[in-house]
């Protein structure tokens, strides 16, 4: 029996063929810095622009370093103090030029006193009475500002029922806009919480816009918290009414009562029930 040829292939230095190797050291082509279709003139122009912009950046950096060095050399604590003083004066002039500036300044002093924790109930009521007299007639104008809105919130939180009624009455007709503000939305929530007598009229101003307000970044928090924490059955049904579609909101606005969707569908023909349930499904999915 013939033995198989087990002769090994000679290596390269013994006269054999070079083994096939992958060219792993082959450099990958670099991405072109200019378009392929660009002409030589365009390439030269772009090179000139890049070098020019680099020189300009370098010159600007040198200028800034020189200015900083001169400022450090000539600067002193007195100069910094004078600059800071001038900035404070400019800021004070801008605040004074705003409407109701004097009234807001006086209200802030009372506000700082009213929110102190070591006050007795009688002392805080006296300060809140002075605060309500100060802002009377101007509450709607300052309620949406970031600083003065907190003043009105403190008045609603610590004031007596007379002060709360004053705030609620002056803001009547503005609740939808206030609920969409980043600052005054907290004031609306405090009125919903501390003024149950005005809650129904307040929530009625959202009628026709509940779905849109629910999707709003700020007002959605107001609607959801009012529904979950502070509203009674009738007020909740009023907020839910728009989910049932325009047909219910226009033609049968108070039919549901405390029964919700069952009260709406009761006694209606099948076609109207189908339309109402379809609107309810679409509105829930949109929210």
């Amino acid at each position: 029996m013939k033995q198989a040829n087990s002769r090994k292939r000679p290596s390269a230095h013994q006269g054999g063929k070079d083994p096939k190797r992958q060219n792993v050291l082959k450099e990958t082509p670099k991405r072109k810095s200019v378009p392929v279709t660009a002409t030589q003139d365009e390439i030269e122009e772009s090179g000139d622009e890049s070098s020019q912009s680099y020189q300009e950046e370098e010159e600007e950096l040198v200028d800034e370093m020189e200015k900083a060095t001169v400022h450090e050399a000539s600067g002193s604590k007195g100069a910094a103090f004078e600059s800071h003083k001038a900035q404070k004066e400019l800021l004070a002039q801008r605040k004074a030029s705003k409407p109701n500036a004097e009234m807001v300044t006086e209200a802030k002093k009372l506000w700082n006193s009213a929110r102190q924790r070591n006050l007795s109930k009688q002392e805080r009521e006296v300060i809140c009475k002075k605060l309500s007299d100060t802002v009377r007639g101007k509450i709607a104008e300052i309620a949406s500002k970031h600083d003065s809105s907190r003043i009105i919130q403190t008045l609603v939180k610590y004031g007596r029922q007379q002060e709360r009624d004053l705030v609620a009455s002056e803001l009547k007709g503005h609740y939808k806009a206030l609920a969409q503000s980043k600052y005054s939305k907290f004031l609306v929530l405090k009125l919903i919480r501390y003024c149950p007598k005005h809650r129904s009229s307040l929530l009625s101003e959202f009628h026709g816009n509940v779905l849109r307000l629910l999707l709003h970044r700020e007002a959605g928090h107001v609607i959801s918290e009012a529904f979950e924490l502070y509203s009674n059955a009738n007020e909740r049904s009023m907020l839910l009414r728009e989910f049932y579609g325009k047909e219910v909101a226009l033609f049968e606005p108070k039919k549901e009562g405390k029964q919700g969707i069952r009260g709406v569908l009761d006694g209606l023909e099948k076609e109207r029930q189908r339309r109402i349930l379809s609107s309810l499904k679409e509105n829930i999915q949109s929210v």
Side-chain angles (χ1 to χ4, degrees), residues 18-79:
D18 292 334
K20 294 182 179 180
R21 295 180 181 177
Q22 294 181 354
N23 190 5
V24 295
L25 300 178
K26 185 177 180 180
E27 295 183 357
T28 56
K30 295 182 179 179
R31 297 182 62 182
K32 294 182 178 295
S33 58
V34 294
V36 178
T37 56
T39 61
Q40 186 65 28
D41 295 336
E42 292 175 345
I43 296 174
E44 291 176 358
E45 288 178 1
S46 63
D48 294 339
E49 290 176 358
S50 62
S51 61
Q52 183 178 0
S53 62
Y54 176 79
Q55 291 175 359
E56 290 176 355
E57 290 178 0
E58 188 176 6
E59 290 174 359
E60 291 177 358
L61 182 60
V62 171
D63 292 340
E64 290 179 0
M65 292 176 64
E66 290 177 355
K67 290 179 181 178
T69 305
V70 171
H71 179 71
E72 291 177 359
S74 61
S76 62
K77 292 184 178 180

Side-chain angles (χ1 to χ4, degrees), residues 124-165:
R124 185 174 279 114
E125 287 180 354
V126 172
I127 297 174
C128 287
K129 178 65 170 61
K130 294 180 181 178
L131 181 58
S132 66
D133 294 338
T134 303
V135 299
R136 187 185 300 271
K138 301 291 185 179
I139 295 177
E141 298 179 18
I142 65 175
S144 59
K145 304 295 188 297
H146 72 95
D147 51 351
S148 52
S149 177
R150 296 180 180 180
I151 298 174
I152 311 301
Q153 291 178 45
T154 302
L155 184 60
V156 173
K157 183 177 181 180
Y158 295 117
R160 296 174 299 175
Q161 194 60 44
Q162 292 92 333
E163 284 85 25
R164 294 171 180 173
D165 293 340

Side-chain angles (χ1 to χ4, degrees), residues 139-246:
I139 295 177
E141 298 179 18
I142 65 175
S144 59
K145 304 295 188 297
H146 72 95
D147 51 351
S148 52
S149 177
R150 296 180 180 180
I151 298 174
I152 311 301
Q153 291 178 45
T154 302
L155 184 60
V156 173
K157 183 177 181 180
Y158 295 117
R160 296 174 299 175
Q161 194 60 44
Q162 292 92 333
E163 284 85 25
R164 294 171 180 173
D165 293 340
L166 172 67
V167 175
S169 61
E170 289 200 20
L171 293 180
K172 191 173 182 180
H174 302 276
Y175 290 120
K176 189 180 79 170
L178 293 173
Q180 299 176 74
S181 172
K182 182 168 64 173
Y183 307 109
S184 57
K185 68 176 182 181
F186 300 105
L187 173 59
V188 177
L189 283 173
K190 279 187 169 57
L191 288 170
I192 293 173
R193 177 180 178 182
Y194 292 107
C195 300
K197 187 173 68 173
H198 300 273
R199 188 181 298 148
S200 295
S201 62
L202 191 158
L203 295 176
S204 65
E205 294 192 17
F206 300 149
H207 180 65
N209 299 280
V210 174
L211 293 175
R212 186 178 64 83
L213 293 175
L214 270 174
L215 299 175
H216 192 271
R217 179 178 179 180
E218 311 298 342
H221 177 63
V222 176
I223 300 295
S224 60
E225 191 163 327
F227 181 86
E228 295 174 5
L229 300 180
Y230 307 118
S231 301
N232 56 33
N234 290 328
E235 292 162 353
R236 289 181 181 179
S237 65
M238 180 175 61
L239 292 174
L240 290 174
R241 193 174 298 154
E242 293 182 32
F243 281 87
Y244 307 143
K246 295 182 179 179

Side-chain angles (χ1 to χ4, degrees), residues 247-248 252 255 264-273 276:
E247 185 174 355
V248 176
E252 300 183 26
K255 185 179 177 182
V264 173
L265 299 177
D266 187 25
L268 297 180
E269 54 271 18
K270 296 293 183 181
E271 182 62 25
R272 292 187 66 185
Q273 290 181 0
I276 292 171

